[in-house]
Amino acid sequence: MPGLKGSFFIAVLAGAAAVMGWAAYQRFAHPPLSQAISMKPLADGVWVSEQIGPPQLALLRQQRFATVVDLRPDGEVAAQPSSSDMADAAGRAGLAFSYVPVPHGAIPDGAVNALQKALASEPRPVLLYCRSGRRAARTWALAEASRPGGLDARAIRKVVLDVGQPVDDLGAEIQARIAARPRAG
């Protein structure tokens, strides 16, 4: 029965190929978090990324993130997930969620204060996001400059530049916020 052995061998090879093909598909369709979300560390358990969507929140939870902060105002573009959709999906994924909308242009003091409160009260690690990560990183820079015991101006500048975002135009505001920090003691 040499034909039966050959058929069995071909069936085994076909099954192995199918399993390997499925594994390749899974890697493509469900990439590791580092590929699925382009995120970069800021400091002290705070990360920044571009726009994410509801399906990615479960991935964040799998990577042990605890909180997501949406800094993108609702309605900037038609296909953008709303903050309420993101909050619902975050809740289902077991993540805390804060909405701190930051418009294009100057970063409002109210947004800096709201981000400071979220970072002080929500569990870490935290992912901040907006359309490109720019407003999120820059708002974090101002919140960090305002935080008692926060990083110095040079360190804040380096962190924001390291995640690929501009910060030079915020230099004077960062310095002023650091100078206004409450003194310990």
Side-chain angles (χ1 to χ4, degrees):
M1 294 207 178
L4 185 59
K5 286 183 181 177
S7 297
F8 178 75
F9 181 70
I10 290 172
V12 168
L13 284 178
V19 168
M20 290 172 58
W22 179 253
Y25 164 76
Q26 287 297 318
R27 283 192 305 276
F28 175 76
H30 305 287
L33 183 61
S34 61
Q35 293 174 8
I37 301 173
S38 177
M39 61 183 187
K40 298 175 183 171
L42 289 167
D44 194 29
V46 180
W47 295 67
V48 66
S49 81
E50 59 197 13
Q51 177 74 54
I52 61 172
Q56 293 167 308
L57 294 171
L59 292 172
L60 287 171
R61 188 68 189 141
Q62 289 173 7
Q63 292 296 313
R64 307 227 188 296
F65 274 81
T67 302
V68 174
V69 180
D70 176 358
L71 286 97
R72 189 172 190 191
D74 282 341
E76 281 191 327
V77 296
Q80 166 191 340
S82 71
S83 59
S84 61
D85 289 344
M86 291 297 288
D88 291 345
R92 286 190 303 275
L95 296 165
F97 182 86
S98 291
Y99 178 54
V100 180
V102 178
H104 287 285
I107 299 167
D109 285 339
V112 175
N113 295 337
L115 180 58
Q116 245 185 316
K117 287 178 185 171
L119 291 174
S121 64
E122 297 294 350
R124 296 188 185 211
V126 175
L127 179 71
L128 312 177
Y129 77 88
C130 61
R131 185 189 66 77
S132 67
R134 178 182 171 135
R135 285 174 281 178
R138 291 165 55 86
T139 306
W140 171 86
L142 297 177
E144 181 65 16
S146 303
R147 185 175 65 87
L151 297 173
D152 64 29
R154 185 192 305 173
I156 292 170
R157 181 181 184 279
K158 181 181 180 337
V159 166
V160 176
L161 291 173
D162 285 351
V163 300
Q165 300 301 335
V167 72
D168 289 339
D169 62 314
L170 296 179
E173 189 171 354
I174 288 170
Q175 289 289 0
R177 286 175 177 274
I178 288 172
R181 285 177 180 164
R183 301 284 180 224

